[in-house]
């Protein structure tokens, strides 16, 4: 059997898969790609075949094991039918943005057919001026945000006419299944424990040579591991407490140059400016609701992906920590955010995330799910293309991502594309019954952050929900 015929889920992918037992925790990623025209159907089919060749997982279905603690396997779907995954619909006249957003919202709430590969692409035509939209739906076990951007490069071109490609992308060469890849379930856990034991033996040898430094290092790792997996027993928000399987989508758009200028003016990063804007918005939203807590708990995905990793799958760690709502000045708030985020990015246990995932996968979904449901929001920053991209002859003009809430009140995902910052908000309608109020608050937060930058830069923020 070839290397791509069967591959076990990694422990990180398994976490996304197992959460499906609770509809509130569904790990579905939805993206809306706006196009200036309807893509050519024949070319689109060709590029999708090209992408599937590059990422064989997209032609696989997940097959559950009958053995306890054994992750599902990615197995080639012998009945794979591209026409089922690649669809086309015409919006009723007059086709509007609200109809696209509503289609994406409903699509995101629907469960996948787990007897097929876990992705769907739907082209929506009938928009004004001949424009179209591509609604992408992918299960999180197939890819993360950075991996999604790598996949985007597999199906897009740098010109409208397209470029002939010979063979597969240098990023997409399939890797052979190694003995470690073949480990499943209890064997995988045993491997993690065995690896830890081996590390302990090596650590013991180092301890004999450098006892003080080694003990200190071990203490740091143990303390970091405790911080990474500590339970969350209550939300810090007094108003975003309910949880449901209902979702609401909304978007913001602003210039990349304005956000970058604000970050540069404070000697911070775009991610710092982004998180500060969300926090300022959350403070305003809670003031509207009559109760402002001093801080909120955020889940922040941290990418572990390297150039050596294959396309697809998850290479992330989820850091969970508190950020302040009681700092109203954007400048010091960005610096506080920067210091907090950097400290978590440098946690000693971050590289151990796959092993921590293996241990958490031994717990009932109700236990890990309860921890996630007490987080207030999820924030993710994805760097997109700085140059225009084309899909089967159609130019991509905007791209928004709506990442899963992971049990929190909402997920806010920033995706940069050419000169635009596209912010997608996926909100639990139970936790956030008034999405327009939340989006208006977050847009005001962005305006406050953009005002830190130099004058003369366009700071317009566009809102839709």
């Amino acid at each position: 059997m070839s290397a791509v015929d069967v591959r076990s889920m990694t422990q990180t992918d398994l976490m996304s898969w197992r959460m499906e037992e609770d509809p509130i925790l569904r790990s579905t990623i939805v993206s809306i790609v706006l196009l200036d025209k309807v893509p050519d159907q024949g070319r689109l089919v060709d590029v999708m075949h090209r992408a599937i060749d590059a990422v064989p997982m997209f032609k696989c279905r997940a097959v559950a094991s009958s053995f306890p603690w054994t992750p599902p396997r990615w197995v080639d779907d012998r009945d794979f039918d591209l026409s089922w995954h690649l669809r086309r619909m015409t919006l009723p006249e007059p086709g509007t943005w609200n109809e696209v957003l509503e289609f994406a919202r409903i699509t995101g709430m629907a469960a996948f057919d787990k007897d097929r590969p876990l992705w769907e692409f739907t082209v929506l035509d009938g928009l004004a001026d001949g424009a179209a939209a591509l609604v992408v739906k992918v299960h999180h076990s197939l890819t993360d945000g950075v991996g999604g951007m790598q996949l985007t490069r597999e199906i897009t071109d740098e010109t409208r006419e397209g470029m002939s490609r010979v063979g597969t992308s240098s990023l997409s060469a399939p890797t052979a299944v190694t003995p470690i890849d073949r480990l499943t379930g209890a064997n995988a856990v045993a491997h993690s424990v065995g690896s830890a034991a081996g590390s302990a033996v090596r650590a013991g040898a180092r301890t004999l040579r450098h006892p003080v430094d080694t003990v200190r290092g071990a203490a740091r790792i143990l303390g970091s591991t405790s911080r990474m997996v500590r339970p969350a027993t209550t939300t810090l928000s007094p108003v975003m407490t309910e949880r449901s399987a209902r979702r609401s989508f909304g978007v913001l758009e602003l210039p990349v140059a304005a956000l970058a200028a604000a970050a540069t003016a404070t000697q911070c990063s775009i991610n710092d400016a982004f998180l500060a804007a969300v926090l300022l918005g959350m403070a305003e939203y809670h003031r509207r609701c009559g109760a402002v807590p001093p801080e909120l708990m955020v889940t922040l995905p941290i990418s572990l992906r390297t150039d050596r990793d294959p396309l697809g799958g998850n290479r992330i760690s989820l850091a969970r920590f508190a950020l302040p709502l009681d700092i109203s000045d954007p400048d010091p708030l960005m610096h506080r955010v920067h210091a907090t985020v950097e400290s978590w990015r440098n946690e000693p246990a971050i590289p151990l995330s796959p092993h921590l995932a293996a241990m958490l996968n031994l717990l009932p979904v109700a236990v890990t799910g309860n921890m996630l449901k007490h987080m207030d929001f999820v924030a993710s920053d994805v760097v997109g293309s700085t140059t225009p991209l084309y899909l089967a002859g159609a130019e991509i003009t905007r791209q928004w991502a709506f990442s899963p809430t992971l049990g929190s009140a909402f997920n806010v995902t920033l995706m940069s594309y050419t000169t635009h910052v596209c912010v997608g908000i996926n909100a639990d309608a139970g936790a956030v019954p008034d999405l327009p109020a939340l989006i208006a608050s977050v847009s005001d937060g962005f305006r406050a952050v953009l005002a830190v930058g130099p004058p003369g830069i366009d700071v317009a923020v566009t809102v839709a929900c």
Side-chain angles (χ1 to χ4, degrees):
M1 187 171 287
S2 69
V4 298
D5 284 333
V6 176
R7 195 181 87 180
S8 297
M9 278 190 183
T10 66
Q11 291 294 329
T12 308
D13 297 344
L14 179 58
M15 285 195 71
S16 297
W17 175 265
R18 293 181 70 241
M19 292 299 105
E20 294 287 303
E21 294 180 22
D22 185 342
I24 294 176
L25 301 172
R26 279 186 184 145
S27 296
T28 302
I29 301 173
V30 176
S31 178
I32 297 178
V33 181
L34 285 186
L35 306 166
D36 70 342
K37 59 179 290 187
V38 178
D40 179 84
Q41 182 67 13
R43 289 177 60 182
L44 185 57
V45 169
D46 288 342
V47 298
M48 292 308 303
H49 280 302
R50 182 175 76 201
I52 292 167
D53 287 342
V55 194
M57 282 175 61
F58 275 66
K59 200 175 180 179
C60 294
R61 59 190 181 91
V63 177
S65 172
S66 57
F67 297 99
W69 298 325
T70 302
R73 298 166 298 141
W74 294 115
V75 178
D76 276 356
D77 182 5
R78 304 300 182 187
D79 296 320
F80 180 78
D81 184 349
L82 180 61
S83 66
W84 195 90
H85 298 273
L86 181 59
R87 309 167 182 185
R88 186 181 291 255
M89 294 180 58
T90 299
L91 296 171
E93 294 184 0
T96 65
W97 163 252
N98 286 337
E99 289 173 311
V100 173
L101 197 61
E102 179 67 4
F103 179 89
R105 184 185 75 87
I106 297 299
T107 296
M109 289 195 296
F112 281 98
D113 180 351
K114 293 189 176 180
D115 291 326
R116 300 177 184 271
L118 305 175
W119 62 274
E120 300 168 10
F121 281 24
T122 305
V123 175
L124 301 176
D125 57 35
L127 290 173
D129 300 322
L134 174 68
V135 176
V136 177
K137 177 181 177 181
V138 179
H139 196 281
H140 212 320
S141 60
L142 281 179
T143 189
D144 53 35
V146 175
M149 289 299 96
Q150 292 178 332
L151 294 172
T152 297
R153 291 199 291 270
E154 293 296 324
I155 65 172
T156 56
D157 298 298
E158 296 180 354
T159 65
R160 194 179 294 275
E161 294 74 22
M163 298 173 60
S164 60
R165 301 192 183 195
V166 179
T168 58
S169 164
S170 59
L171 288 171
S172 61
T175 56
V177 176
T178 66
I180 292 178
D181 292 327
R182 293 193 183 98
L183 292 171
T184 59
N187 287 335
V189 175
H191 172 73
S192 295
V193 174
S195 297
S199 298
V201 171
R202 292 188 293 273
R206 289 193 297 272
T207 300
L208 294 176
R209 296 191 298 270
H210 309 286
V212 175
D213 290 343
T214 302
V215 170
R216 287 175 178 169
R220 288 177 64 243
I221 291 176
L222 287 174
S224 178
T225 300
S226 177
R227 289 189 290 274
M228 290 286 292
V229 301
R230 74 187 188 280
T233 58
T234 184
T235 60
L236 296 186
S237 170
V239 298
M240 301 188 304
T241 57
E242 297 297 322
R243 297 293 183 264
S244 73
R246 294 175 291 118
R247 297 291 177 264
S248 301
F249 281 9
V251 301
L252 301 172
E253 180 189 337
L254 57 146
V256 168
L259 194 61
T264 300
T266 56
Q267 296 183 321
C268 291
S269 69
I270 284 183
N271 188 63
D272 300 329
F274 161 53
L275 289 174
V278 176
L279 292 170
L280 291 171
M282 283 297 93
E284 179 179 332
Y285 179 76
H286 282 77
R287 277 194 296 272
R288 294 186 182 195
C289 296
V292 184
E295 54 188 11
L296 292 180
M297 288 295 292
V298 60
T299 297
L300 186 74
I302 296 176
S303 178
L304 306 178
R305 190 175 293 274
T306 69
D307 293 339
R308 299 183 301 276
D309 290 321
L311 294 179
N314 285 270
R315 302 292 189 276
I316 60 172
S317 177
L318 297 179
R320 300 172 300 124
F321 51 89
L323 287 175
L325 289 194
D326 56 1
I327 301 177
S328 58
D329 187 333
D331 191 330
L333 178 56
M334 278 189 264
H335 284 92
R336 172 75 73 83
V337 167
H338 179 83
T340 303
V341 171
E342 284 305 301
S343 69
W344 277 92
R345 290 188 190 280
N346 294 311
E347 278 286 346
I350 289 291
L352 302 178
S353 294
H355 300 297
L356 297 180
M359 291 187 291
L360 291 173
N361 283 333
L362 296 176
L363 300 175
V365 169
V367 175
T368 52
N370 192 52
M371 294 169 58
L372 294 172
K373 289 177 182 178
H374 288 129
M375 303 305 293
D376 294 302
F377 69 97
V378 183
S380 184
D381 176 3
V382 180
V383 179
S385 177
T386 58
T387 58
L389 296 176
Y390 298 84
L391 177 65
E395 181 180 359
I396 296 175
T397 59
R398 303 286 192 280
Q399 183 172 4
W400 285 274
F402 305 88
S403 302
T405 63
L406 301 178
S408 68
F410 68 93
N411 180 304
V412 53
T413 299
L414 178 150
M415 180 177 291
S416 60
Y417 176 69
T418 61
T419 60
H420 312 284
V421 169
C422 300
V423 180
I425 296 178
N426 176 10
D428 182 326
V432 185
D434 189 354
L435 181 62
L438 183 141
I439 292 182
S441 297
V442 173
S443 65
D444 286 345
F446 271 104
R447 291 186 183 94
V449 166
L450 298 184
V452 175
I457 294 180
D458 179 16
V459 296
V461 179
T462 303
V463 179
C465 60

